[in-house]
Amino acid sequence: MPLAIAYAPTRDRYRTVVVGAGPAGVLAAAHAAAAGPVLLLEASDLPRHKSCGGMIHALSVRALARHGARIDNAIREPEQVRFRFHDWDAEVKKPCSLTFYNVDRDAFDALLVEMLPPNVEVAARCRALTVEQDAEGCTVTVDAQGSVLRIRCSLLIGADGARSTIRRAIASAGRPYVTIQDLVEFTSPIEPFFDCIYSSCIGEGHAYSYVVPKDGHALVGSVFYPGAKHPHRMQELVLQGVRERLPAVGDTVAREACAAAHIRSMDDVLAGTGRVLLAGEAGGFLSPTSGEGISYALRTGEMAGRAAALEPALALTAYRRSLRPLMAQIRGKLTLLPIMESGAGRALARVLPAPVVSAITRYL
Ligand SMILES: Cc1cc2nc3c(=O)[nH]c(=O)nc-3n(C[C@H](O)[C@H](O)[C@H](O)COP(=O)(O)OP(=O)(O)OC[C@H]3O[C@@H](n4cnc5c(N)ncnc54)[C@H](O)[C@@H]3O)c2cc1C
């Protein structure tokens, strides 16, 4: 049965409200629905568009397989791409064994929404403005295309991404990375690599860039530290560098800017407070070293949804417990981050044999 999408909530009370229909929110809503009606609020229209490289880690495929979902219809050419460390300063390339499925992110997200059970009410173009908590639950204030509504729930899951409103309503939140991604033409096939580019010549605040081929086009993206000046100008330099090295890369067809959570310490990672749980990037759940976020969103969404299906007063404790292995993983990656970002770390990656770089990359 096709999913029914409304443009305003139909009731003023639900057991669970989930904010954000990305991978974290969809999985959270699907699982929370086991305990009663769920409202899933999404600020944009659905199906939505999210700026993304569309690199799908095997962990994401496994997380979806647990729900009987397959990503085949979202996969694009080349179907798989291998991660490659590409240092422009020394013109060194290190192909690694880490492989990703290459998807159209819009098709992938549309496929996720199809997994929702009928007792999840989806309200698109509805933005959560704030949330207040009391001993019995939460009240979320929603802008439903100009009408301001107050919705009551026993539990709320904030899965509203890198610029989470829900996170800011319950705790502090750092500034995210700024990302710019160009969809570019190319005249002949480029190699099936997800090239991760490091260069000291792009400008202050440039973290890294990437090139990934996708169905007759390529995505050229860049990640900039919070507060970086002139990211669009730096992105032009990146495009110039890409075209010098890959003459088949042509004009930009479309450009978009977005944000990604910038995780520097475990203080940036938060499961929630009281009756509010945070999942996906809203909670700071993504790989701080690689920026891979989809598998983290799917897994934390599932965990938050399962916890939400328990007695609401116990949900946060249960969620924190299930998050422990993932938290330990993020903590481990955070210890590697300063080395990775340092000049010494990059110099080391240049000289280490490719199999060693490849082995390290598997943990990023
Ligand atoms: C340029 C770029 C490239 C990336 N490439 C990759 C990649 O190749 N592979 C990978 O694994 N990860 C990648 N990521 C990261 C990945 O996209 C995210 O980690 C992942 O989408 C997070 O999922 P989420 O559900 O937590 O949040 P999101 O996917 O961001 O979804 C949040 C949703 O909440 C909605 N929302 C926001 N505020 C409100 C509100 N107040 N009320 C209601 N709804 C709201 C938004 O409209 C959005 O639909 C990339 C990120 C960027 C920016």
Side-chain angles (χ1 to χ4, degrees), residues 19-25 41-44 48 50-56 105 126-129 159-163 165 179 181 210 258-260 279-282 285-286 291-295 297:
V19 180
L41 294 167
E42 169 53 49
S44 68
R48 67 171 202 153
K50 163 84 174 75
S51 180
C52 184
M55 301 287 91
I56 302 296
R105 180 68 197 263
C126 289
R127 178 174 291 278
L129 299 176
D160 48 343
R163 294 188 192 277
T165 300
T179 64
Q181 186 173 272
Y210 54 86
C258 194
E281 279 199 44
F285 299 107
L286 87 168
E292 191 272 317
I294 296 172
S295 74

Side-chain angles (χ1 to χ4, degrees), residues 69 72 74 140-141 169 226 313 332 343:
D72 308 35
V140 55
T141 308

